[in-house]
């Protein structure tokens, strides 16, 4: 049987495009190596522009099934003092949908179930051992019992994550940024702080940031963002949980919020630099999600960027009977919005995480002007890549105008 599309990887990217194409009547096969998705610490915050993409794709029910939790407030603290509170509540006139805090494995499972319900065939515990671009493209598959078959499709979607074997096998040239930041995270139960607000607690003297993404029933995904030169493994392993919580308190997180907190998953720290490929398509093959571009997880854009990829690819395929042309249209648009996001994240890193007197002076200048004009702060959460990155924008964000 020839398929319209084969998705190599059944996580958010692969399952998302499988759902979109199957819902439109395409014959879709999803190949997923894992029989159950695991907590990999990253990917718990769906920013406003990611929520908009999920809605456009019709994934509201999947979000509900994954128990996505609305976070209509975003608070910023310095030294334990709340400096500002941003509202995403419709009642306050927000033009953005509220961000969501959602468990990544649960969301993956829900979207994959939605793809299956839409008519996609899902095979788990299998591996795509070889992909040959062409018309049609071909995928060699090793099944759960070791059996080998070859499947063909009009389109193969590579959605096998940040360490994509498909990307490497097809010779895509990956570009990686130098390491600057690390992110460590853990899932906590027994959190007693507010569950309607996500929060960033800045500890500028040591260039660290505590991030709190609460769900319901006292569940919290907590992260520490810190510079790579302080050691990637500083917050890894259950024996480091006391150190992690101490860093939270040092950043100003109220001790009473975490007094009864206990780990409900692994604590892991990892380097967070961006990596990407330019023009992520080959003949009959398109990369989406982390296989195409990984944004620095410190800025929380991973799930949103993946859903933007899925929506962009879906729309390109729907707009043209010439799928080769559609793939190149997708790749061109992907490069445009990823490059903007990459630039914005770089500006944020330079403003908020650089050490030394010059960086302190820059922060002081930016904060002083932003107090009177909040639009000077790069809006990663609300607008993501949908904001300018030209020289006038750079001067505006860096308070040089």
């Amino acid at each position: 049987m020839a398929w319209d599309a084969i998705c190599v990887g059944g996580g958010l990217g692969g399952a998302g495009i499988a759902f979109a194409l199957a819902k439109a009547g395409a014959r879709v096969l999803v190949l997923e190596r894992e029989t159950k998705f695991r907590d990999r610490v990253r990917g718990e915050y769906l920013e406003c522009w990611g929520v908009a993409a999920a809605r456009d794709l019709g994934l509201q029910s999947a979000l509900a099934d994954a128990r996505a939790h609305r976070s209509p407030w975003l608070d910023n603290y310095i030294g334990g003092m709340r400096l500002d509170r941003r509202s995403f509540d419709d009642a306050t006139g927000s033009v953005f949908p509220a961000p969501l805090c959602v468990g990544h494995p649960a969301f993956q499972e829900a979207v994959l179930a939605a793809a299956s319900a839409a008519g996609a065939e899902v095979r788990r515990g299998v591996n795509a051992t070889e992909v040959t671009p062409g018309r049609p493209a071909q995928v060699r598959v090793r099944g759960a019992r070791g059996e080998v078959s070859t499947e063909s499709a009009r389109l193969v979607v590579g959605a096998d994550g940040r360490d994509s074997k498909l990307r490497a096998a097809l010779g895509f040239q990956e570009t990686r940024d130098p390491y600057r930041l690390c992110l460590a995270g853990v899932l906590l139960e027994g959190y007693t702080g507010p569950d309607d607000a996500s929060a960033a607690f800045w500890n500028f003297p040591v260039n660290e940031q505590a991030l709190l993404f609460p769900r319901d029933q006292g569940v919290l995904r907590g992260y520490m963002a810190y510079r790579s030169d302080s050691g990637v493994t500083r917050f890894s392993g259950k024996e480091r949980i006391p150190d992690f919580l101490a860093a939270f308190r040092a950043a100003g997180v109220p001790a009473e919020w975490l007094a009864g907190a206990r780990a409900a998953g692994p604590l892991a720290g990892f380097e967070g630099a961006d990596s990407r490929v330019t023009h992520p398509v080959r003949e009959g093959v398109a990369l989406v999600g982390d296989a195409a571009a990984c944004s620095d997880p410190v800025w929380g854009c991973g799930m949103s960027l993946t859903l933007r990829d899925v929506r962009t690819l879906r729309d390109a395929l729907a707009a043209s009977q010439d799928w080769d042309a559609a793939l190149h249209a997708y790749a061109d648009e992907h490069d445009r919005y990823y490059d903007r996001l990459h630039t914005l994240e770089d500006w944020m890193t330079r403003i908020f995480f650089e050490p030394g007197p010059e960086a302190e002076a820059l922060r002081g200048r930016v904060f002083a002007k932003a107090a009177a004009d909040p639009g000077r702060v790069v809006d990663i959460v609300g607008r993501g890549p949908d904001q300018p990155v030209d020289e006038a924008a750079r001067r505006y964000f860096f308070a040089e105008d």
Side-chain angles (χ1 to χ4, degrees):
M1 174 182 182
W3 304 89
D4 292 310
I6 298 173
C7 300
V8 178
L12 189 55
I17 194 64
F19 169 74
L21 295 180
K23 192 169 66 167
R27 295 164 298 168
V28 183
L29 173 64
V30 181
L31 306 172
E32 171 52 44
R33 178 174 56 85
E34 295 187 350
T35 57
K36 182 180 180 180
F37 294 118
R38 297 177 288 118
D39 180 3
R40 287 188 169 85
V41 176
R42 295 165 286 198
E44 298 286 329
Y45 191 57
L46 191 59
E47 294 173 326
C48 303
W49 52 285
V51 175
R55 290 179 177 178
D56 288 348
L57 290 164
L59 291 174
Q60 296 93 323
S61 293
L63 286 164
D65 291 343
R67 297 181 61 185
H69 185 69
R70 288 183 78 251
S71 190
W73 302 98
L74 176 61
D75 296 336
N76 277 285
Y77 295 79
I78 298 178
M81 178 181 297
R82 192 173 75 190
L83 294 188
D84 65 74
R85 160 166 276 204
R86 183 175 182 183
S87 172
F88 298 101
D89 195 308
D90 293 341
T92 63
S94 173
V95 298
F96 301 108
L100 299 173
C101 300
V102 58
H104 198 171
F107 192 25
Q108 288 176 300
E109 294 287 357
V111 177
L112 192 56
S116 179
E121 181 175 324
V122 176
R123 301 179 192 172
R124 303 192 73 164
V126 302
N127 285 280
T129 60
E130 184 179 355
V131 174
T132 304
R135 303 185 185 92
Q138 294 189 327
V139 182
R140 192 170 176 83
V141 184
R142 180 180 294 115
R145 298 182 181 87
E147 70 278 14
V148 176
S149 63
T150 299
E151 306 284 353
S152 61
R154 190 179 180 189
L155 167 65
V156 172
V157 178
D160 53 341
R162 63 179 52 236
D163 298 316
S164 171
K165 291 181 172 58
L166 175 58
R167 178 182 62 211
L170 293 180
F172 285 98
Q173 288 295 115
E174 182 187 11
T175 301
R176 287 184 176 269
D177 286 355
Y179 289 131
R180 290 190 291 178
L181 300 178
C182 294
L183 188 70
V186 65
L187 190 67
L188 298 169
E189 294 177 340
Y191 169 72
T192 57
D195 69 359
D196 61 348
S198 300
F201 287 78
W202 296 92
N203 189 351
F204 287 118
V206 293
N207 300 112
E208 293 181 356
Q209 177 196 34
L211 291 159
L212 284 70
F213 299 125
R215 303 187 213 158
D216 58 359
Q217 299 181 339
V219 176
L220 172 76
R221 176 66 74 175
Y223 292 107
M224 281 300 304
Y226 53 101
R227 289 179 54 82
S228 293
D229 52 22
S230 66
V232 64
T233 60
R234 181 176 159 207
F235 299 119
S236 286
K238 62 181 181 182
E239 70 280 359
R240 298 293 180 89
I241 290 175
D243 297 333
F244 181 91
L245 295 177
F248 258 44
R249 292 190 293 271
V253 179
E256 59 270 22
W257 291 5
L258 302 169
R262 58 194 178 279
L267 169 66
F270 41 86
E271 298 275 12
D274 278 54
S275 65
R276 67 276 190 192
V277 300
T278 300
H279 208 73
V281 300
R282 293 282 187 271
E283 186 180 34
V285 179
L287 304 181
V288 301
D290 285 351
C294 298
S295 68
D296 188 333
V298 164
W299 304 113
C301 297
M303 289 197 297
S304 299
L305 184 59
T306 295
L307 291 172
R308 173 66 67 92
D309 287 356
V310 170
R311 185 179 69 183
T312 302
L313 179 56
R314 179 204 65 178
D315 291 349
L317 294 172
S320 175
Q321 292 297 315
D322 182 349
W323 276 20
D324 285 339
L327 293 189
H328 289 292
Y330 156 72
D332 289 342
E333 178 60 17
H334 173 275
D335 288 351
R336 280 192 288 269
Y337 60 71
Y338 171 74
D339 287 346
R340 288 196 300 267
L341 184 64
H342 181 248
T343 297
L344 294 162
E345 289 179 349
D346 175 66
W347 291 353
M348 292 280 281
T349 300
R350 289 163 59 190
I351 291 171
F352 289 102
F353 281 99
E354 288 297 312
E358 290 185 10
E360 289 292 343
L362 170 62
R363 278 191 285 274
R365 185 173 72 245
V366 168
F367 292 168
K369 290 199 172 184
D373 180 8
R376 288 183 178 274
V377 179
V378 175
D379 188 11
I380 289 287
V381 174
R383 299 176 65 192
D386 301 321
Q387 49 195 311
V389 294
D390 57 15
E391 177 60 15
R394 189 200 67 79
R395 292 181 59 83
Y396 180 59
F397 289 134
F398 280 83
E400 295 176 357
D401 54 332

